[in-house]
Amino acid sequence: TDPGGPGGSGVDFVLGAGADDGFLAPLNERFDLVSWDPRGTKGSSPIDCDLDVDVEPFGAFPALDERDRIVEAARAYAEACVDSVGADLLASVSTLDTARDMELIRLALGEEHLTYLGFSYGTYLGATYAAVYPDRVRAFVLDGAVDPDAYANDPLVSNAEQAVGFETALTRYFDICDVGVCRYLGDERDWRRLVARLDAAPLETGDPARPVTGEDVLNATLIVMYSRQAWPILDLALAEAAAGDGARIKFLSDIALGIDDDGSVDPGADAFPAITAIDAAYPTDIALQDQMYWTYLQSSPSFGPSTFWASTAGGYAAFEWPVEADDRFTGPFTYDADGGPPIVVIGTTFDPATPFRGSIAMTEQLGDATLLTMVGDGHTAYGGNSTCIDDAVGAFLVDLVAPEPGTICEQELATAGAAVVSGEGAGVATADVIGQLRRFAGISR
């Protein structure tokens, strides 16, 4: 199993999710659960470019007229990565390299075929493996799928769709608030005013160097959109910030940025741009990238600029990146089941990080694949969102009984989530929900 990223630690993921109270525990009754830190991450020659999150170009929200500064920062970042970890490692962390590592793991385990559950970017890894080693697939489930061709060959368009996904999620969040179940007694316009107000006059915290700004509200909102269960936490955080207390917003923003409780920065964030820089074919024409800024801004006023700089700063870094991949896979992402079961692709209709269209595209491109749909919110579906989804995945992975094509499941959290928002316990940050947000942050930068 792979949690996604690129950059997520599979070891941390499986030790948590596979524990007795973890959401992979039911699968552990039938299978040994195996994961690994993909090359360049945590325990596998980690890519740590030795830069503080505040000076990296990938979390900024500047206007387009600051492009030159961003390009220069990206250039400096790329050079720092080479100096810190070396060109040889950076050239050998493509998804194709990691898929080959999956094959080596299979051989080391002595398994004839692999059973695999991949999430988010892990769906791209799974699709790559299935395309390269189709005869080694037993049963693959790819949850929260990306459009593999767009991810590899048209990343600016792929990332623009993600910005729209988060904008849609925000609208749905406020649609629920509009029916009177939120403590944050405002709408999307009030939220934008709060962002602007805190940009103009940040809220003080115990650390003068870390006030609560409008950017913190954006960060906090974006990370909470990954989890439908966490919406009540955002509701309370916004209500407190509107009343002058930004502590909970800062807490959520720190999670989004990979800043731990002790103030240290997760170095795993560096794996994301380093892998993406050699994996995806960003255009090398900076003028063309600049034109995309307006597409991002128009289609996603809230998250377009941040997504643009996260993606095109990676693109600028790729343009300035002094290392080429030893090898990379660009498709076609086709899979021939050769009489075996299809690959099961799971898409959530309002997934902000991997919009539903990506799951449709992956299903079509793989060929021998079937789409399992969850109508609901949040990133990925398996593991407590829907009994229908969980049962279908279990039946397929254990007994090779694939869901019928066109199967649609309903998320079971929408009504319960709304009730929690309006109750006395609204917004209380339970450990499991915060853990989920930290996991999503670790695989999404």
Side-chain angles (χ1 to χ4, degrees):
T1 182
D2 180 84
S9 167
V11 172
D12 289 349
F13 170 65
V14 79
L15 289 176
D20 289 344
D21 58 349
F23 74 91
L24 293 182
L27 293 177
N28 200 199
E29 296 175 5
R30 161 61 177 82
F31 299 100
D32 294 324
L33 301 180
V34 180
S35 194
W36 75 107
D37 289 348
R39 51 176 66 199
T41 70
K42 199 158 186 181
S44 298
S45 299
I47 296 172
D48 182 356
C49 299
D50 200 27
L51 289 175
D52 187 86
V53 69
D54 290 333
V55 299
E56 293 177 5
F58 307 108
F61 293 77
L64 187 59
D65 60 10
E66 295 188 66
R67 175 182 64 80
D68 290 344
R69 178 179 67 81
I70 295 296
V71 173
E72 183 58 36
R75 181 183 295 113
Y77 179 83
E79 293 172 353
C81 286
V82 174
D83 291 343
S84 297
V85 303
D88 289 345
L89 174 61
L90 293 175
S92 62
V93 294
S94 73
T95 298
L96 179 58
D97 290 317
T98 299
R100 289 168 174 160
D101 290 340
M102 284 180 64
E103 176 64 2
L104 292 175
I105 291 171
R106 181 193 67 80
L107 291 169
L109 293 172
E111 295 290 336
E112 185 175 355
H113 300 93
L114 281 186
T115 300
Y116 176 75
L117 175 58
F119 298 91
S120 194
Y121 161 82
T123 67
Y124 180 69
L125 173 59
T128 300
Y129 181 92
V132 176
Y133 303 103
D135 59 335
R136 299 304 182 190
V137 171
R138 174 186 172 271
F140 272 36
V141 173
L142 308 179
D143 185 4
V146 301
D147 177 336
D149 182 69
Y151 182 92
N153 301 309
D154 203 356
L156 290 187
V157 170
S158 178
N159 294 335
E161 291 181 346
Q162 185 184 72
V164 173
F166 279 105
E167 196 75 28
T168 301
L170 180 66
T171 298
R172 287 179 59 79
Y173 169 80
F174 281 109
D175 282 347
I176 290 179
C177 288
D178 284 346
V179 299
V181 297
C182 285
R183 291 172 178 237
Y184 178 62
L185 302 178
D187 56 20
E188 194 166 341
R189 289 171 298 179
D190 294 318
W191 177 83
R192 296 186 193 283
R193 293 188 187 103
L194 178 62
V195 171
R197 174 159 65 87
L198 296 189
D199 272 336
L203 295 175
E204 295 182 359
T205 65
D207 184 350
R210 304 187 73 242
V212 180
T213 67
E215 184 172 327
D216 287 314
V217 176
L218 288 168
N219 288 332
T221 303
L222 185 140
I223 193 61
V224 166
M225 292 301 103
Y226 277 85
S227 170
R228 180 65 182 83
Q229 297 96 320
W231 285 13
I233 302 172
L234 177 63
D235 173 50
L236 182 58
L238 290 173
E240 291 172 345
D245 179 4
R248 202 180 305 264
I249 284 291
K250 196 67 173 181
F251 173 71
L252 293 171
S253 179
D254 282 351
I255 290 177
L257 293 174
I259 300 174
D260 294 330
D261 292 338
D262 61 3
S264 62
V265 179
D266 177 11
D270 291 327
F272 187 104
I275 295 171
T276 303
I278 65 170
D279 238 1
Y282 283 95
T284 56
D285 183 347
I286 289 181
L288 175 61
Q289 295 196 35
D290 284 351
Q291 292 174 13
M292 287 294 295
Y293 175 85
W294 303 109
T295 299
Y296 280 63
L297 181 62
Q298 183 177 24
S299 61
S300 177
S302 305
F303 302 110
S306 62
T307 307
F308 173 81
W309 288 117
S311 60
T312 54
Y316 291 138
F319 179 55
E320 301 291 344
W321 205 251
V323 177
E324 292 185 2
D326 289 337
D327 202 2
R328 60 185 288 264
F329 187 70
T330 60
F333 295 88
T334 55
Y335 167 66
D336 183 357
D338 194 24
I343 288 176
V344 173
V345 178
I346 305 177
T348 299
T349 52
F350 297 104
D351 189 320
T354 53
F356 186 60
R357 194 201 66 80
S359 294
I360 296 173
M362 178 171 280
T363 304
E364 294 174 345
Q365 290 171 40
L366 286 171
D368 281 350
T370 187
L371 179 63
L372 175 62
T373 299
M374 183 181 80
V375 179
D377 301 279
H379 184 40
T380 71
Y382 178 76
N385 280 293
S386 166
T387 303
C388 170
I389 292 287
D390 292 353
D391 289 349
V393 170
F396 179 64
L397 292 181
V398 174
D399 299 318
L400 299 180
V401 178
E404 289 293 326
T407 298
I408 298 176
C409 299
E410 297 284 341
Q411 189 175 34
E412 296 164 5
L413 299 175
T415 302
V420 170
V421 175
S422 61
E424 287 301 315
V428 176
T430 58
D432 57 338
V433 174
I434 292 301
Q436 184 184 51
L437 291 183
R438 290 195 186 279
R439 177 171 71 86
F440 283 136
I443 68 174
S444 64
R445 289 188 298 275

